[in-house]
Amino acid sequence: MEPLSVVTGVGVPLRRSNVDTDQIIPAVFLKRVKKTGFEDALFYAWRRDPNFVLNRPEYSGARILVAGPDFGIGSSREHAVWALRDYGFRVVISPRFADIFYGNTAKNGVLAAIMPQESVELLWKLLEEDPGTEMTVDLGARTVTCADVTLPFQVDDYVRWRLMNGYDDIDLTLQHEDDIRAYERMRAERFPFKPRTLPAQHMPEEPVTSAREGQIDWPGPLADRGII
Amino acid sequence: MGRTMAEKVWADHLVRKGQGGEPDLIYIDLQLMHEVTSPQAFEGLRLAGRKIRHLDQVIATEDHNTPTIDIDRPIADKVSALQISTLERNCREFGVRLHPLGDADQGIVHAFAPVLGLTQPGMTIVCGDSHTSTHGAFGALAFGIGTSEVEHVLATQTLSLKPFKTMAITVRGQLKPGVGAKDVILAVIAKIGTGGGQGHVLEYRGDAIRRMSMDARMTICNMSIEAGARAGMIAPDETTFAYLEGRPHAPKGAMWDQALEYWRTLPTDPDAVFDKEVILDADQLTPYVTWGTNPGQGLPIAADVPVPDKIADPAKRQAAQEAIDYMGLKPGMPIRDIAVDTVFIGSCTNGRIEDLRAAAAIMKGHHKAKNLHRVLVVPASSRVRIQAEKEGLDRIFEDFGAEWRNAGCSMCLGMNPDQLVPGERSISTSNRNFQGRQGKGGRTHLASPEVAAATAIRGTICSPADL
Ligand code: SF4
């Protein structure tokens, strides 16, 4: 993953609290088979409204989202972070994030920066007064700079370290590669009987016939016929 | 102090003990895959330029989206067709063994692996599907994971996890005739609630469990999830070993002896302590049926639908009222008066050969009730279908007026065309009766294959003893 230390870009004021994952990305998009390309799905319903903040030309190319408290509540879909990331957001600022969403941000190289409500209000004001203002988020210094104000944000040390290094979960585990190898040597010795899927072993090959549907004449669910 | 079986399996898979509140790193012996939760995992590997660490510890099949008729024709639904073709492409590209639709080993992901002998005692098994708990019937630690964890296991063959808590569920004594595994697990869920097992591995024990076949044990472990648990387990014993011996991927010769020696060390030590214990008396149990919209809303078949006004707890009262409204029932009506439209026999809970034999034994010589729309019989795997046809069960079903289908998840969740229409009522041998689970507006009553078969004869919910 691309390491994140300083992000400079257009900030978007999203004056809403309790933004749930269904608003971030509706469930219908979960049927897709891709892990990227979700930018069109972000805030899908709201973006039908021409006045929605992201639809305003001044905020195009935005990289930092400033939202109200309890961002990312609701169903645990990781797609919510993918949609933000694919749209171009590398930082989301909010006074409070839902746990699962928060966990998913760092996994996907997105910073969830926690700032007090007053700071968020101030940022909203600055971004609305001068739409298209660029902000700078400095992860090393844990500060956000917008116009001429610089404000601190909270991020835990572990999340900061992994974002600055661009580590995904797999990178983190592979730092213990030696332990995994040692386990595998022990396993081969102590458990040589554990099954392998390859080479494939089979029961005798047999043809599978296709079922066909019979004709049904059905007057509809019992409920509709007044019978329970 | 002694250790529980879950603790032993955990210890034998510990790659690295987590320090200072960190999770442990656990080795995964086998990953099962299907078309719904795998595409993003493969894509993640591709984007990061990673490979699968052990191709011989992963296997895939197609089940959730597959049609159960006309399997030799193109799949009409675009989303289903895309998920399936994506799996096929990914498996080809990465070299993963796949049993696609039409293959004799294809089937529901939790049904095809045990048949191949890939599910063995003492293993860690994962799959991007919550009912992975099914494999715990062999004394394996098996649990469902999310898509990003699927990718993690493909790349590293490990998972970061905090140890689960343990709960013993002892079913004492002997079940009465006509009462089976499905009734036991529905009674367990009704007793401990849909959140009762949260964070725990449930270990089922006691005489009634020891007497059960592997198919029955899989039914029990399968629905551990509906009790909120991470996994379910049953200690391996002679029944387990007899099931495994001679299966394609079971150890052979000296390896078999070595495996057997290890497997015999797995059961929980007599002095081990569980975090929680629950006891059920088998002889008190009767066939169970759900009346509501979660698996914990179940009752003995002879009971009446609850009357919300008589429920003291306001939250439970409201939940009951909502469930009754959705299900279109009358408070206080006998469960046996509920007429159904559709009977579904299948799923990873009850679509195995013994389930089909039990249903066929009851249906034989009868015809489905006049008020029924359809009786769908969907084997859990193609091998089950082949076996059932060898035994002539397919003809019994067809003579009965049932539809004999190809293997897959089918109406368990209605990702394929096998769905209920709004208001349609089913009795189903599957595991979830949530609102709309089997199709938008559909109403589901969960029950055993025996109860489903008897209901198909009479048209109203009943057990074989009521016929
Ligand atoms: S049969 Fe139902 S519960 Fe089992 S894997 Fe398929 S959809 Fe899930």
Side-chain angles (χ1 to χ4, degrees), chain B residues 34 63-64 108-110 129-132 134 222 226 344 346-349 408-415 430-432 437:
Chain B
H34 60 86
D63 55 3
H64 284 65
I108 303 175
V109 69
H110 311 307
D129 187 281
S130 51
H131 291 97
T132 310
T134 312
N222 173 275
E226 277 60 51
F344 172 61
S347 88
C348 60
T349 314
C409 295
S410 179
M411 197 183 265
C412 175
L413 88 167
M415 260 181 115
S430 56
N431 48 41
R432 285 184 171 158
R437 165 83 175 181

Side-chain angles (χ1 to χ4, degrees), chain A residues 87-117:
Chain A
Y87 188 87
F89 288 115
R90 295 237 46 205
V91 182
V92 182
I93 296 171
S94 165
R96 197 165 51 224
F97 292 96
D99 284 345
I100 296 176
F101 177 86
Y102 186 81
N104 286 338
T105 49
K107 279 186 191 177
N108 290 285
V110 172
L111 168 63
I114 301 168
M115 297 183 82
Q117 182 73 28

Side-chain angles (χ1 to χ4, degrees), chain A residues 32 34-35 78 168 171 173 183-184 187 194 196-197 201 204 206 209-212 218 222 228, chain B residues 12 27 29 40 43 50 54 56 58 70-72 97 148 151-152 249 328 341 373 383 390 406:
Chain A
R32 289 190 178 169
K34 293 269 162 199
K35 202 178 176 175
E78 201 170 332
D168 65 12
D171 292 320
T173 295
Y183 180 89
E184 285 172 340
R187 182 181 188 267
K194 293 253 179 175
R196 292 174 211 283
T197 56
Q201 309 283 325
E206 300 199 52
T209 51
S210 178
R212 301 278 182 237
W218 191 52
L222 288 169
I228 287 198
Chain B
D12 283 349
Y27 196 76
D29 288 321
Q40 276 104 1
E43 188 172 70
R50 291 184 176 119
H54 289 294
D56 58 359
V58 49
D70 301 336
I71 60 167
D72 46 356
R97 174 176 171 190
S148 49
E151 181 183 341
H152 190 277
H249 283 277
D341 303 304
H373 170 200
R383 289 288 175 192
K390 283 186 184 153
N406 289 106

Side-chain angles (χ1 to χ4, degrees), chain B residues 151-225:
Chain B
E151 181 183 341
H152 190 277
V153 174
L154 287 175
T156 70
Q157 209 58 48
T158 64
L159 268 182
S160 287
L161 281 176
K162 296 224 162 126
F164 305 138
K165 291 193 282 237
T166 57
M167 185 189 297
I169 297 195
T170 306
V171 189
R172 290 195 300 217
Q174 204 167 343
L175 292 168
K176 288 192 291 219
V179 183
K182 185 63 162 284
D183 305 310
V184 170
I185 190 64
L186 285 174
V188 167
I189 300 164
K191 184 175 169 115
I192 71 173
T194 50
Q198 215 153 47
H200 289 78
V201 178
L202 311 184
E203 184 183 324
Y204 304 95
R205 35 203 288 146
D207 290 350
I209 305 286
R210 292 266 69 87
R211 284 200 188 90
M212 283 182 186
S213 67
M214 290 316 293
D215 280 8
R217 292 178 188 186
M218 283 190 256
T219 301
I220 298 232
C221 287
N222 173 275
M223 287 191 72
S224 303
I225 301 314

